[in-house]
Amino acid sequence: MRRLIPLLVGLLAAAGPARADGLSFPVLVPLTGFLSLEGTSQRNGALLALKEAPAGLVAASEVIDTGTSPEAAVTGLERAAGGGPVGAVAASMLGTQMLAMLPLAAELKLPLVTVSGTASITEQGNPWVFRFFPGDAVTKTAHARYVVEELKKTRPAVIYQTTAYGQSGKTHLEAAFRALGVNPVFQEGVDPAAKDLLPVLTKALSANPDVLVLHLHAGPTALLLRQAATSGLKIPVVAGSAMHQPSTAALLDPAELKGVCAETAASPVSGGSPAVAAFTESYRAAFGKEPDAFALGQYDGMRMVLAAVQAGAKSADDVRKALAAGRHDGLAMSYASDGKGNMAHSAVIVCYDGKTRIPALVKRYDNVTGVVK
Amino acid sequence: MLAAALAGLAYALFFASPYGLRVLTVAGVYALAAFGFQILFGLGGALSMAQGAFFGLGAYVTGILGSRYGLDASVTFPLSLLAPLLVALPVGLAVLRLESHYFALATLGVAQVLHLLAVNLPDLTGGANGLPGVPAFALFGWVAPRGLPMAALVWGVAAVGGLIGWRLARGRLGRSLELVRDDPLAAGCLGLDVGRLRLTAFALSAVYAGAAGALAVHTQRVVSPEVLEFPVMVTILTIAVVGGRGRMVGAVLGALLLIHLPEWFRGLERSYLIVYGAALLLAILVAPNGLTGLLERLFPPPPRALPDAVEPPAGPRATGEILRVEDLSKSFGGVRALDGVSLSVQAGAIVGLIGPNGSGKTTLINVLSGLERPDDGAVWIGGRDRTGAPPDQIARAGLARSFQAATLPNHASVLEAVAAARLPFDRSVAEAEAHARWALDRLGAGDLALRPCHGLPAALRRRVELARALARRPSVLLLDEPAAGLTDAEKADLAAHLRRLAWEGMALLVVEHDMDFLLPLVGWVLCLDRGRTLYAGPPDGARRDAAVIAAYLGGPAVRDDSDDEDGA
């Protein structure tokens, strides 16, 4: 039944008398490849928002897998644009795909609603991109501040990924630590395909750090934490947003998570408000999975789009104007554009107690402007 | 084919949506990249894993120069072709000597290095994020916007590239590469410079890939490390295999199918990969020789006309000593395969080379034909020292050889197989085939010309191989067990042909175990045992030589019934 939801949404949209004022809301996300977990969260968040569209508003949506290549994303966008009037596109969280789609989106005049936190997608001067997930300028500032201000650590060892996500995070972490008067004692990138992270962990520990700062994708995060736990790591770990994903935590025993914290935009499974709890329940019921911050961010983004349509937006340009100028109180945070399409300006820190895989919210950073590169 | 091209044009002009045109454009880009791969892998048989890397390199050159410096295609496009070429030449020189999977691994390493550079040189390449803002294709003020103009541009370039590739494939280069692919040793012994041919194919493939990469980046408007990753390479390889190996039309059909296939199933979300994989598997099962093979099976082409026979030019009739071997030695580890062997073969003479298995006969032939380098001693051909020369140089010096197992390309016709021997000498394939026809007619095998080599009985295979050697008009011919597997009648026929060649002035060295065939044929016998000369003299002496009998012939002496031997 859960798998039929996208189909049902599509059928309802196709057969229903009211098609969201004739506008469709295609979902272009990576469902295959190394970002399939995150892309699926994006898809689910977008579809849930469309399913729970405000009363009287039924939105059409086509889901297109963009894989991980820019070429597939651009082709997908062209395909989506050819399927009738489009209100907005739920667009890939992969930075390189977003960078490829941006010129075409401007040409086609289509708003891209994404949760991509990497790459300088909002630094291209393109008015058609809206990011409902805090960028690295926000999350890495929160990341570094928690390490320095809350944990009082001054000798971080940073291990990052040699991908766009990793390089962007490393750059912003470096700047954020520098702003706090701290210099990492170790920084090294690792390939996402690496099957053994013990060597880099050993190298990092030989620099005598007092905290391990990770900015890795989900799989490598779990692998490194498992190897760290096995080798009896004594210093705290503050990981990147991939750690907060329930699917990442599911790869580890709760005991292996003891003392591990992570930055993220939100952690729906941690609760926080009745509305967030309701979202989590709806998500579980619809998809049989635990929601993460990407799902919630994409959900919030599409809800803002639909609210704009409900408020009278008749075209993609109307939607763009509403997103650019409006404010939306979402479940994760309040969203408003900073003039470049950055809608999210809050981040949270979650920590695991070693007994469950559900982290607790320990710190919230609002209105962070960060160190914009 | 013309109808299909017109149908494609009509679709692009009147029916394709912007999305359809984009998919068509991407297919054109990959067809262009696959043309180069068809030359290298399809024709030359070299499984290069660097084609995707050259594609990416071309993309990065255009991406960097276009986005950072605003240069137009008059600068970026030629440089996108040149950069892969400049990388391919030194890389090719280093790795093309490697065989099969080692070559594939080495070229994969090239791709990895380029990918690492792209990721780790962010100031130049934009790092893992890549470089956005690549401009549309612009040339002297004309800009190709997306949609029909870009599709027309890409397919225009692909048409030019495909035409060039088609002409190369049907010409001497393509035929020579096929020979190199099927049997590099035989190719070298036919006078083809295997190293140079492979390097040429590698360089050409890099140029095609660079052109495709440049157009790809204009289509995507961003360049990122994904263009250097393995999926690009896999796509090009799959296009070549599914389309039809070595065929330019196959590259077009494969690209159209492979690029459209995932789009047809995209609506299935994650499941589309399963359907896509199944569809690919089905395509390979239904068309094991690719789509072009399937089309040829469904619509067989009309039989081609045979060229008129033309006798190839022969050098001045040779006289005196043609082949001289002085004190030749060769060891493999601790095994002394040749130990101070000397030999002389005069024009018009037939010399027999005999000895038990492992005595060094084939090693001697391999050293003479350049497949092995001697440790010591000298080889003179036509009065010039050719010691240690590579096979192609020795072949061009006038030496031809056959192999124990006749090495004919299974997929080729007899005419094509024989014409391959003329490729180093003739100006065109047509000329080579006319000369090949003459050689086949000369051996009474003209009626075999259009038959495929595959399935030919042993006797005919040997005759075709002899025609191959004859077509080159060599001054000296080495035959390795030419009578093996032949009936008595066929042996008699073969012997008659060999005598006629000798009568015309050719020097022949024949390795053979069949003494009833060999001894009446030859005028001189050299018997080897454990790499050493056991006997050198007239054949009747060999029959009676106690050492030869003990080491090789066995039993009582062979009855001497030869009365018309050639002298050596």
Side-chain angles (χ1 to χ4, degrees):
Chain A
M1 184 62 199
R2 287 164 189 144
R3 292 181 183 185
L4 290 178
I5 284 180
L7 183 62
L8 288 174
V9 171
L11 286 174
L12 278 172
R19 274 183 45 131
D21 288 353
L23 298 176
S24 67
F25 302 92
V27 180
L28 275 62
V29 293
L31 297 175
T32 52
F34 72 91
L35 266 182
S36 61
L37 277 179
E38 293 87 342
T40 302
S41 291
Q42 257 199 292
R43 164 193 174 276
N44 294 347
L47 290 181
L48 195 60
L50 294 171
K51 182 185 169 218
E52 295 175 353
L57 203 67
V58 180
S61 66
E62 183 187 18
V63 178
I64 298 174
D65 173 27
T66 58
T68 52
S69 76
E71 181 185 289
V74 174
T75 303
L77 184 58
E78 189 97 73
R79 174 184 169 129
V86 174
V89 175
S92 171
M93 66 184 303
L94 186 56
T96 50
Q97 291 193 327
M98 285 301 298
L99 287 170
M101 283 194 282
L102 283 174
L104 184 59
E107 209 170 320
L108 296 169
K109 300 189 186 309
L110 294 179
L112 302 181
V113 177
T114 185
V115 292
S116 173
T118 64
S120 51
I121 60 170
T122 53
E123 301 298 322
Q124 304 297 313
N126 189 315
W128 295 92
V129 61
F130 298 94
R131 177 176 17 218
F132 284 80
F133 197 87
D136 285 339
V138 175
T139 57
K140 294 301 113 178
T141 298
H143 201 163
R145 279 180 62 185
Y146 184 75
V147 167
V148 176
E149 294 172 357
E150 305 300 321
L151 298 181
K152 310 293 184 194
K153 303 298 182 187
T154 56
R155 295 179 56 80
V158 179
I159 300 175
Y160 60 96
Q161 213 84 74
T162 55
T163 59
Y165 165 80
Q167 287 189 345
S168 173
K170 179 247 183 184
T171 303
H172 285 92
L173 267 175
E174 207 170 19
F177 276 125
R178 198 184 312 123
L180 292 164
V182 167
N183 286 320
V185 295
F186 175 85
Q187 293 189 91
E188 188 160 310
V190 291
D191 190 279
K195 302 294 180 215
D196 182 6
L197 298 180
L198 205 52
V200 72
L201 178 62
T202 308
K203 271 176 77 178
L205 294 178
S206 68
N208 195 27
D210 56 5
V211 61
L212 206 53
V213 175
L214 307 182
H215 188 71
L216 305 170
H217 293 300
T221 298
L223 176 62
L224 192 137
L225 289 178
R226 168 154 289 165
Q227 294 189 312
T230 306
S231 57
L233 185 73
K234 301 293 184 205
I235 58 176
V237 178
V238 184
S241 57
M243 181 61 249
H244 94 282
Q245 291 173 257
S247 53
T248 307
L251 297 172
L252 296 159
D253 290 331
E256 292 171 323
L257 290 166
K258 187 171 175 56
V260 173
C261 297
E263 57 79 9
T264 179
S267 177
V269 293
S270 303
S273 73
V276 170
F279 163 81
T280 302
E281 278 311 308
S282 299
Y283 190 96
R284 284 177 184 146
F287 307 108
K289 293 177 179 173
E290 299 292 334
D292 56 20
F294 304 124
L296 187 53
Q298 196 66 53
Y299 175 86
D300 279 347
M302 296 313 286
R303 292 283 295 191
M304 186 173 181
V305 167
L306 291 169
V309 175
Q310 191 180 30
K314 303 284 187 199
S315 66
D317 194 39
D318 290 344
V319 171
R320 181 191 67 78
K321 286 173 184 164
L323 295 179
R327 184 176 187 84
H328 179 70
D329 288 327
L331 298 185
M333 64 189 82
S334 288
Y335 299 93
S337 175
D338 64 352
K340 296 178 177 178
N342 293 308
M343 309 295 285
H345 312 286
S346 302
V348 298
I349 301 292
V350 295
C351 291
Y352 297 84
D353 60 6
K355 294 172 184 165
T356 74
R357 293 190 181 89
I358 296 176
L361 287 167
V362 298
K363 185 71 183 173
R364 184 174 186 88
Y365 295 89
D366 285 318
N367 301 317
V368 179
T369 51
V371 188
V372 177
K373 186 189 173 192
Chain B
M1 199 187 305
L2 185 64
L6 288 174
L9 187 64
Y11 164 72
L13 286 174
F14 304 115
F15 302 106
S17 65
Y19 160 66
L21 285 171
R22 178 172 288 277
V23 179
L24 207 57
T25 305
V26 175
V29 166
Y30 275 95
L32 191 57
F35 289 148
F37 199 59
Q38 292 288 39
I39 293 172
L40 178 62
F41 169 68
L43 298 174
L47 182 54
S48 167
M49 290 289 147
Q51 189 73 353
F54 293 140
F55 179 97
L57 187 56
Y60 263 100
V61 170
T62 289
I64 292 168
L65 296 177
S67 67
R68 287 197 190 279
Y69 304 104
L71 296 173
D72 77 359
S74 65
V75 177
T76 60
F77 194 71
L79 290 178
S80 288
L81 274 60
L82 185 63
L85 175 66
L86 292 178
V87 173
L89 288 174
V91 167
L93 282 171
V95 305
L96 279 166
R97 295 173 193 171
L98 302 172
E99 293 299 326
S100 60
H101 46 290
Y102 294 107
F103 172 73
L105 282 175
T107 49
L108 189 60
V110 174
Q112 289 296 313
V113 168
L114 287 177
H115 185 263
L116 282 172
L117 288 174
V119 171
N120 293 298
L121 293 175
D123 291 340
L124 177 67
T125 63
N129 277 330
L131 292 170
V134 178
F137 185 95
L139 189 62
F140 306 126
W142 176 76
V143 178
R146 70 187 180 88
L148 192 58
M150 191 62 195
L153 172 75
V154 166
W155 278 100
V157 175
V160 172
L163 194 63
I164 293 170
W166 180 73
R167 287 188 63 86
L168 289 174
R170 289 175 62 90
R172 289 171 63 224
L173 177 70
R175 289 287 188 86
S176 302
L177 285 171
E178 285 181 317
L179 198 59
V180 168
R181 174 193 68 196
D182 294 337
D183 194 333
L185 289 183
C189 291
L190 288 175
L192 294 174
D193 187 337
V194 174
R196 179 178 293 184
L197 281 167
R198 280 183 168 164
L199 187 63
T200 303
F202 197 57
L204 275 171
S205 75
V207 169
Y208 273 100
L215 293 176
V217 84
H218 281 305
T219 308
Q220 290 178 25
R221 310 287 295 277
V222 62
V223 60
S224 61
E226 282 83 2
V227 290
L228 286 159
E229 287 179 354
F230 203 49
V232 173
M233 182 64 243
V234 171
T235 302
I236 295 170
L237 173 63
T238 313
I239 285 170
V241 172
V242 170
R245 201 174 159 188
R247 307 290 296 273
M248 299 304 141
V249 176
V252 173
L253 295 177
L256 286 170
L257 180 68
L258 264 290
I259 301 302
H260 279 84
L261 208 54
E263 298 302 325
W264 294 336
F265 301 123
R266 191 73 75 182
L268 298 175
E269 294 193 22
R270 225 179 264 115
S271 309
Y272 90 93
L273 279 182
I274 298 171
V275 180
Y276 174 66
L280 267 186
L281 190 61
L282 186 69
I284 290 169
L285 288 174
V286 171
N289 293 319
L291 296 173
T292 49
L294 178 68
L295 288 175
E296 284 175 0
R297 210 168 67 204
L298 295 174
F299 311 103
R304 55 169 296 190
L306 276 176
D308 291 332
V310 175
E311 182 176 356
R317 187 182 171 97
T319 55
E321 186 181 63
I322 302 295
L323 175 67
R324 180 152 58 94
V325 174
E326 292 174 352
D327 206 19
L328 212 56
S329 295
K330 175 71 184 174
S331 295
F332 297 103
V335 177
R336 192 89 166 149
L338 292 176
D339 189 358
V341 174
S342 295
L343 171 70
S344 172
V345 186
Q346 304 290 316
I350 306 179
V351 173
L353 181 59
I354 63 173
N357 287 334
S359 60
K361 304 186 296 297
T362 299
T363 302
L364 177 59
I365 284 196
N366 285 347
V367 170
L368 295 181
S369 55
L371 294 182
E372 301 284 357
R373 287 178 67 88
D375 298 334
D376 207 357
V379 176
W380 296 72
I381 299 171
R384 289 189 62 185
D385 185 358
R386 301 286 181 181
T387 310
D392 57 297
Q393 284 184 19
I394 287 180
R396 287 196 292 273
L399 184 144
R401 67 163 291 178
S402 72
F403 290 84
Q404 278 182 24
T407 51
L408 300 176
N410 282 334
H411 68 277
S413 70
V414 165
L415 183 72
E416 289 166 347
V418 177
R422 289 293 312 175
L423 292 174
F425 307 102
D426 293 333
R427 287 166 299 180
S428 68
V429 169
E431 191 175 309
E433 289 190 343
H435 291 153
R437 176 82 194 275
W438 169 85
L440 285 167
D441 286 349
R442 172 87 195 275
L443 294 175
D447 56 332
L448 300 176
L450 295 181
R451 282 181 62 176
C453 293
H454 176 70
L456 279 181
L460 294 184
R461 289 181 76 83
R462 292 195 179 283
R463 186 171 299 190
V464 172
E465 203 179 28
L466 190 59
R468 229 180 179 187
L470 174 64
R472 296 179 43 221
R473 310 302 296 264
S475 56
V476 57
L477 176 60
L478 316 182
L479 298 171
D480 200 351
E481 301 190 22
L486 303 190
T487 64
D488 288 344
E490 289 164 347
K491 286 177 195 168
D493 191 39
L494 174 64
H497 283 303
L498 297 183
R499 283 195 182 93
R500 197 175 313 127
L501 293 176
W503 181 81
E504 290 173 358
M506 194 182 291
L508 289 96
L509 178 65
V510 182
V511 174
E512 188 53 67
H513 286 294
D514 186 339
M515 294 300 106
D516 290 337
F517 166 79
L518 186 74
L519 294 182
L521 178 69
V522 303
W524 193 260
V525 168
L526 183 73
C527 181
L528 299 181
D529 184 32
R530 297 177 192 175
R532 291 184 178 180
T533 302
L534 195 64
Y535 171 85
D540 55 341
R543 296 169 198 264
R544 299 189 191 94
D545 189 278
V548 175
I549 292 170
Y552 180 53
L553 296 179
V558 179
R559 186 176 64 82
D560 185 357
D561 55 0
S562 64
D563 54 6
D564 56 350
E565 293 167 351
D566 298 293

